[in-house]
Amino acid sequence: MIIPSRPLSATRPSTNSASATTSTARIIPKAFSSVSTFESGASAKKAPTTPTTPVPAPQVPVEDVPPKSDPRYDGLKDQALINALHDAVSKHKNLGYDQARKIIFTTLDNHDGVVACVYTGKEVKTNKIPSSNVMNTEHTWPQSKGATGAAKADLHHLFPTDSKANSVRGNYPFGTVTKVKWEENGAKFGTDAQGRTVFEPPDAHKGNVARALFYFSTVYNKDIPPQDEAVLKEWNKLDKVDAAEIARNDAIETYQQNRNPFVDDASLADRIADF
């Protein structure tokens, strides 16, 4: 359950820039996420009936990307840091949901004509928004829990997911599954050690999920329940920022004119005791 929003101090003018550019090289997604409900939308005329599952590639060590510190946050922590982060990145261009989905499936997460589910790794060949029966748009922070209005279209927490994984996740919180009811390619659904029903992304996407939720909480003034926050902070350390996540952050900045500061410097999350 999401606790009601807390008040923020008066915001300062945003100082974002939109100078970053996307790389022309193919970026291999780190991993895979899901959305709270099926989302209808424009469908491809000849969309594939089912996504294909690629043969797992050999595991290659991922080089960690050094954090990019920002002097605006020096010496700040807890609510003072949350306020400064909010002031810096909350003002951004609202693309609208249709445009956001088009960007995801045609450029942002489309690599050589292929889009992969961040949970299962299933791939779809497409140059447009595919049928929702095949692949959907994941709201890492569910619509039913506050991802409405501009938040619904915010690319920093949206990812492509195949429809089955999307449906399985529903709007359940993220957590560590100890009793598995469903799993595929590292993604799991079931109950945690406390008996809560939770969804667990594969290891390579755990950090992406954590940093997306830290961003959402900061920008949209939404609390993260303590039990969820503890798991997310573990994942933030387990799955560190890599070049693919930085490149995606750079690309989103060109569309929205804001960045996810927790991707630029994942250690910021450690300086906030309570999101």
Side-chain angles (χ1 to χ4, degrees):
M1 178 178 295
I2 299 299
I3 303 171
S5 303
R6 57 180 174 268
L8 285 169
S9 64
T11 58
R12 297 171 292 188
S14 172
T15 56
N16 319 327
S17 68
S19 59
T21 56
T22 59
S23 169
T24 56
R26 176 174 179 176
I27 302 296
I28 304 301
K30 291 200 323 176
F32 319 105
S33 152
S34 150
V35 55
S36 56
T37 56
F38 284 157
E39 294 152 354
S40 60
S43 61
K45 292 181 180 179
K46 293 184 178 181
T49 55
T50 57
T52 58
T53 303
V55 176
Q59 295 297 309
V60 179
V62 177
E63 183 178 354
D64 297 335
V65 177
K68 183 167 58 177
S69 61
D70 191 319
R72 290 176 293 179
Y73 313 135
D74 288 351
L76 299 179
K77 63 179 182 179
D78 299 327
Q79 190 62 48
L81 178 56
I82 290 173
N83 291 344
L85 291 167
H86 177 273
D87 293 349
V89 301
S90 63
K91 293 180 181 179
H92 64 276
K93 183 177 180 180
N94 180 4
L95 301 169
Y97 188 48
D98 289 343
Q99 180 65 12
R101 288 192 303 151
K102 181 178 179 181
I103 289 169
I104 285 172
F105 288 107
T106 62
T107 59
L108 183 63
D109 296 302
N110 189 309
H111 307 291
D112 297 336
V114 174
V115 178
C117 167
V118 293
Y119 285 148
T120 66
K122 289 181 178 178
E123 297 180 340
V124 171
K125 291 184 177 180
T126 186
N127 60 1
K128 61 184 71 176
I129 299 173
S131 166
S132 60
N133 293 324
V134 176
M135 189 167 281
N136 289 321
T137 305
E138 155 71 334
H139 287 77
T140 309
W141 193 291
Q143 295 182 70
S144 62
K145 295 185 177 181
T148 59
K152 180 180 178 179
D154 193 324
L155 292 170
H156 285 297
H157 82 115
L158 302 183
F159 297 93
T161 55
D162 81 89
S163 59
K164 173 62 177 178
N166 178 279
S167 178
V168 169
R169 190 236 162 159
N171 65 354
Y172 291 104
F174 293 100
T176 302
V177 174
T178 57
K179 186 175 182 180
V180 178
K181 296 180 180 179
W182 170 91
E183 63 179 333
E184 185 171 345
N185 200 38
K188 301 175 185 177
F189 174 76
T191 53
D192 64 10
Q194 290 73 44
R196 298 188 310 153
T197 299
V198 296
F199 188 93
E200 180 178 350
D203 287 348
H205 193 63
K206 284 183 167 73
N208 303 61
V209 165
R211 291 180 281 274
L213 294 183
F214 296 153
Y215 164 88
F216 193 98
S217 172
T218 301
V219 170
Y220 298 103
N221 193 23
K222 298 290 185 181
D223 288 353
I224 299 176
Q227 198 165 10
D228 296 357
E229 182 176 329
V231 173
L232 295 174
K233 285 184 173 177
E234 290 179 3
W235 291 356
N236 186 44
K237 292 181 174 66
L238 169 70
D239 173 30
K240 297 181 179 180
V241 176
D242 67 9
E245 194 174 1
I246 289 289
R248 194 176 195 269
N249 200 23
D250 292 343
I252 291 174
E253 184 181 19
T254 67
Y255 294 113
Q256 291 191 177
Q257 285 83 63
N258 78 332
R259 301 179 65 80
N260 181 344
F262 297 99
V263 172
D264 290 330
D265 184 357
S267 70
L268 290 171
D270 296 329
R271 290 157 54 188
I272 298 173
D274 181 17
F275 278 92

